[in-house]
Amino acid sequence: MSSTGDAAARSSTPGAARRSLTGVKPTGEPHLGNLVGAIEPAIAMTGEYESLYFIADYHALTTARVPEQLAHWTRSVAATWLAAGLDPQRTVFYRQSDVPQTFELTWILSCLTGKGLMNRAHAYKAARDANLAAGEDADAGINMGTYNYPILMAVDILIMEAHVVPVGRDQLQHVEIAADIAGSFNHLYGSHGYRFPIPEAVIPPETTGHTLPGLDGRKMSKSYDNYIPLFLSAPKLRKLVRRIPTDSTPVEDPKDPDSSAVFQILAQFAPADQVADTRARLEAGGVGWGELKNQLADVLEERLGPMRERYEALMEPGSELDEALARGGDVARERAQRVLTSVRSAIGIDR
Ligand code: ADP
Ligand code: TRP
């Protein structure tokens, strides 16, 4: 057993540190919005909690159908988190698919979960409503993975005995479902030797200004195809920034920084004094959009350049990425097995 494994085992004793867990679905290219809205805030919680981070590759399978792509995004998302500063020595960092205990607990908790609760889950309900609106059969094209998604997510959380779950607002209902399922289990079996901690979502406040606009001014998102990927080459990054649409206000005229996506993105990444100076110069007039875009490209390159280098090294076959995930998988499996053994005994399977 590794020393990290011993540390993890100790931490689930009464009075030990509270645990934070977050999962990321490997479904696409990580972008600047993910970095400031999800990756960096979650990494910042390391230290405050005992932190677990995992790649939810089996959640991605509800939609992923191209094996090479699933394999690529799984590695790529993991490499992104490490390149962004996640320290696998101070956290438990693993792939969901490396913890097969998850699937045994999924069955057990499925048997305690009302079908009605799944009928009300947002993602399934939205897919069903869209089918009905299109005059199709309500369940057309919906697979059981999508239907059971919230139970698998509850298991991710409960099998690691997480107390807090940092997620975007869209995932709040899923964490509430996990708390519901934990409550059902505790109610039935709590007096038989095992209770799950009741997990709580931690949502970044809307007011922190962490919603980054995309190239068209709407929220940066893969769904709007308006995003800046984290690991474009330096020339491609500059080209993309130069393509951000701007109005035709002449160089010498005053400009409103708050209605400019270029400035908003700059404001997230540049040092505070540079942001204040640029704001003042835009408001006074005399700064053109071209100059502002060059400034943004410089700032992004300075920030992303070193991260890109590290990312590329981690993406090489046989890099330390694989070793980090293997080590994290050992720790996660050991923890999951301990929980599963207690659960099996509590429900009357192994007595
Ligand atoms: P997308 O909208 O591109 O599909 P996801 O839904 O996969 O992004 O988001 C993953 C995480 O990144 C979520 O926690 C989400 O809150 C965060 N995130 C995504 N886009 C932004 C953004 N533009 N600004 C801030 N955070 C974002
Ligand atoms: N469903 C989450 C998403 O789409 C990913 C996820 C899977 C997750 N399991 C989790 C997040 C457990 C937090 C905790 O973003």
Side-chain angles (χ1 to χ4, degrees), residues 24-25 27 31-39 167-170 204 210-214 219-223 227:
V24 196
K25 225 164 43 162
T27 45
H31 57 70
L32 281 182
N34 301 142
L35 183 71
V36 298
I39 302 176
V167 281
R169 187 160 294 282
D170 61 316
H210 276 330
T211 298
L212 196 72
K219 171 188 180 278
M220 185 177 289
S221 171
K222 286 189 284 285
S223 339
Y227 61 93

Side-chain angles (χ1 to χ4, degrees), residues 10-215:
R10 272 196 307 278
S11 69
S12 71
T13 53
R18 280 163 60 82
R19 264 179 304 281
S20 154
L21 168 130
T22 202
V24 196
K25 225 164 43 162
T27 45
E29 204 165 16
H31 57 70
L32 281 182
N34 301 142
L35 183 71
V36 298
I39 302 176
E40 286 183 338
I43 293 177
M45 290 178 75
T46 311
E48 187 181 341
Y49 291 91
E50 190 207 349
S51 302
L52 297 94
Y53 302 90
F54 73 98
I55 314 296
D57 44 358
Y58 269 124
H59 272 110
L61 193 61
T62 60
T63 53
R65 293 294 174 266
V66 182
E68 294 76 15
Q69 232 167 42
L70 179 58
H72 170 78
W73 292 128
T74 299
R75 266 186 122 247
S76 158
V77 168
T80 301
W81 281 73
L82 292 181
L86 183 128
D87 179 352
Q89 305 290 340
R90 295 175 61 218
T91 54
V92 184
F93 183 55
Y94 61 100
R95 289 188 313 186
Q96 182 184 38
S97 57
D98 280 337
V99 186
Q101 290 82 355
T102 300
F103 305 101
E104 189 170 342
L105 188 59
T106 297
W107 175 257
I108 296 171
L109 295 186
S110 293
C111 295
L112 306 188
T113 303
K115 179 169 176 288
L117 189 62
M118 293 302 99
N119 290 341
R120 291 189 293 277
H122 294 323
Y124 168 66
K125 215 162 150 284
R128 203 179 142 90
D129 290 349
N131 276 338
L132 291 173
E136 303 252 13
D137 178 78
D139 285 319
I142 301 177
N143 62 59
M144 285 303 291
T146 299
Y147 188 67
N148 288 330
Y149 189 105
I151 305 181
L152 182 58
M153 179 156 161
V155 170
D156 295 331
I157 297 168
L158 301 179
I159 205 159
M160 295 300 155
E161 301 183 303
H163 301 95
V164 298
V165 186
V167 281
R169 187 160 294 282
D170 61 316
Q171 296 295 314
L172 177 61
Q173 189 199 31
H174 287 152
V175 182
E176 288 169 351
I177 290 174
D180 250 34
I181 295 176
S184 302
F185 180 94
N186 292 352
H187 178 70
L188 271 167
Y189 299 111
S191 56
H192 295 266
Y194 186 75
R195 302 180 74 82
F196 287 112
I198 304 291
E200 232 182 289
V202 178
I203 313 274
E206 310 287 3
T207 48
T208 54
H210 276 330
T211 298
L212 196 72
L215 302 177

Side-chain angles (χ1 to χ4, degrees), residues 332-344:
R333 267 193 308 280
E334 188 198 321
R335 179 189 298 268
Q337 188 55 53
R338 206 159 7 88
V339 171
L340 186 60
T341 301
S342 304
V343 167
R344 284 171 61 118

